[in-house]
Amino acid sequence: MSIPQTQQAWRATAKGAPGKVLRLDNDVPVPVKLKKGEVLVKVQAAALNPIGYKLMQLLPGFVLKRPYIPEHDFAGVVVDSNGTEYQNGDAVYGFLTVPLFMQTRQGTLAQYIRAPTTHFIRRPDDIPPTQAAGVPLAAMTAYQGLFQVAHLEPEQRVFINGGSTAVGSFAIQLAKAIGCKVTATASGKNEEYVRSLGADEFVDYTKGPLHTALAENSPSPKYHVIFETVGLVDTALYTNSEAYLAPGGVFVSTGPQPKGFDIAGIGKLLWKVFLQPKWLGGTKRTWKMVSVAEKREDLQKITQYITEGKVRPLVDSVYGFEDVPKAYERIMTSRATGKVVIKVDSEAE
Ligand SMILES: NC(=O)c1ccc[n+]([C@@H]2O[C@H](COP(=O)([O-])OP(=O)(O)OC[C@H]3O[C@@H](n4cnc5c(N)ncnc54)[C@H](OP(=O)(O)O)[C@@H]3O)[C@@H](O)[C@H]2O)c1
């Protein structure tokens, strides 16, 4: 396959909302100079993540220089294997971590990307690129949060706040895959979706404060793990958790992720989870955060679950490459169920 010198890529040109700062450039150099251990991938599909628009809106230019190519998840084909274990033509999928992206300012909303082999694996034929692209970042966050941060074990009980978020909906499926009992939240319209993923019990978070509902219906035994996948800054679910989280149980969060700055909220959370001593009313439960890392073995395991039919890739919507701003509008509603995917190659299945 001949590799062009220039390509199309979306670039963020300033700090701000995607609809205002994104530009589709036609003359971006293809990154043909590869380091040892990197390959060149022709991107077939990419997927959006909340971190994409949060970095775009929050990080000042001295931290993240513009223009840069946003986003992390990809599925594609190796077109320069650069002496690695891969062959040209291999189908692959993975994600470019935030620390890597901060160094390179190269995200996945481009026709060609450089990718270190540590950040992707081979993609089986039965997971088409538009489905595969949405798996890595969200499913690995769920996998690492449940099993490596909270150490969830078979047959335990887990409460997932945000059962219809991308992370939460992978978490439901992964917890069920090892035989756990799962309770998950969403708004009422998503009850069927969350149950179709395997949730045994459902709580509509719009009906009243969650901590009250949980305290009133605390399971026996109590939950072993609470996985907060919404990005709440509100501390009530944690500070009241002695009523429904077992002693020794873990409260794991994808991180307080306000859409803008919320210094007071973050300050309160830090006080509640790290600083307030237990004798001064501090919560007698462990609070931990998951920060997704590039562990190929985790994506291998998730891929195995997918091929075994225990986990299914979740696609909310698929947009053409020219419609990236519309795709951001969709993910920024915080109402998507599954991943918002971009067909970078119009031929991609
Ligand atoms: N730490 C990490 O490494 C890491 C990695 C990945 C993601 N994250 C963070 O995790 C969070 C989730 O990301 P995502 O991509 O999974 O989100 P997403 O798919 O964009 O979330 C959309 C879903 O959120 C649900 N939702 C919104 N508000 C809710 C609430 N108060 N309670 C329960 N559900 C609610 C919506 O359901 P309804 O319409 O029913 O409300 C919708 O289905 C984000 O803050 C993201 O930045 C962190």
Side-chain angles (χ1 to χ4, degrees):
M1 184 186 293
S2 71
I3 299 167
Q5 288 187 332
T6 58
Q7 60 168 333
Q8 282 195 315
W10 283 93
R11 292 203 284 195
T13 55
K15 176 169 166 271
K20 295 212 168 107
V21 303
L22 279 179
R23 185 180 72 201
L24 182 58
D25 289 331
N26 294 315
D27 54 355
V28 178
V30 172
V32 283
K33 280 195 189 149
L34 303 174
K35 290 188 190 156
K36 191 160 182 272
E38 286 182 342
V39 303
L40 185 68
V41 174
K42 184 172 195 296
V43 179
Q44 294 169 295
L48 305 188
N49 282 285
I51 190 72
Y53 65 79
K54 288 175 186 173
L55 295 181
M56 215 178 291
Q57 297 187 132
L58 292 177
L59 287 192
F62 65 87
V63 180
L64 180 56
K65 214 171 140 220
R66 274 74 170 179
Y68 72 84
I69 303 171
E71 291 304 333
H72 307 273
D73 277 318
F74 69 94
V77 176
V78 174
V79 290
D80 181 352
S81 57
N82 190 31
T84 63
E85 68 201 81
Y86 290 90
Q87 303 292 321
N88 289 353
D90 282 353
V92 294
Y93 76 133
F95 83 102
L96 305 178
T97 54
V98 172
L100 175 70
F101 158 80
M102 293 297 288
Q103 281 169 26
T104 61
R105 296 188 296 119
Q106 177 217 237
T108 57
L109 291 181
Q111 292 175 308
Y112 293 87
I113 57 168
R114 288 160 47 194
T117 56
T118 43
H119 287 58
F120 62 84
I121 64 167
R122 288 193 167 78
R123 173 180 64 76
D125 288 344
D126 50 0
I127 317 177
T130 54
Q131 290 187 29
V135 171
L137 195 151
M140 287 166 82
T141 307
Y143 187 91
Q144 292 169 13
L146 287 179
F147 304 131
Q148 293 165 11
V149 178
H151 301 289
L152 183 70
E153 289 179 9
E155 312 209 345
Q156 290 188 326
R157 280 176 188 268
V158 55
F159 179 83
I160 296 169
N161 188 36
S164 64
T165 68
V167 175
S169 43
F170 280 117
I172 295 174
Q173 300 184 81
L174 290 166
K176 291 308 292 181
I178 66 156
C180 290
K181 187 148 192 213
V182 177
T183 304
T185 68
S187 63
K189 68 178 186 314
N190 285 329
E191 174 167 0
E192 218 177 292
Y193 175 71
V194 164
R195 286 194 187 273
S196 78
L197 300 170
D200 302 286
E201 287 164 14
F202 176 79
V203 180
D204 180 346
Y205 75 86
T206 64
K207 292 267 162 74
L210 269 184
H211 63 275
T212 313
L214 290 190
E216 283 168 0
N217 289 296
S218 179
S220 176
K222 292 179 180 174
Y223 296 110
H224 299 93
V225 172
I226 294 181
F227 193 8
E228 204 297 286
T229 71
V230 178
L232 293 185
V233 182
D234 183 359
T235 55
L237 191 60
Y238 170 67
T239 52
N240 292 284
S241 62
E242 285 165 41
Y244 39 82
L245 181 58
V250 179
F251 186 106
V252 57
S253 164
T254 52
Q257 305 228 359
K259 288 215 168 115
F261 282 113
D262 180 0
I263 298 296
I266 301 275
K268 186 172 168 205
L269 186 78
L270 288 177
W271 165 249
K272 292 285 178 191
V273 301
F274 294 124
L275 301 171
Q276 187 178 22
K278 302 213 182 342
W279 56 270
L280 259 184
T283 310
K284 298 184 191 66
R285 295 293 181 272
T286 306
W287 186 97
K288 289 188 175 174
M289 197 180 122
V290 57
S291 187
V292 66
E294 74 286 14
K295 294 187 190 159
R296 284 175 3 143
E297 63 276 21
D298 295 352
L299 188 53
Q300 291 286 14
K301 185 70 192 171
I302 292 161
T303 305
Q304 183 192 328
Y305 281 139
I306 295 175
T307 50
E308 289 170 357
K310 292 181 177 158
V311 168
R312 61 173 208 259
L314 302 158
V315 176
D316 173 83
S317 42
V318 180
Y319 290 82
F321 197 43
E322 64 290 355
D323 287 331
V324 161
K326 282 192 194 144
Y328 272 107
E329 276 174 29
R330 175 64 186 155
I331 190 174
M332 288 174 75
T333 61
S334 295
R335 298 278 83 83
T337 49
K339 299 300 300 180
V340 176
V341 174
I342 310 297
K343 233 182 195 199
V344 178
D345 177 345
S346 59
E347 312 263 287
E349 206 187 316

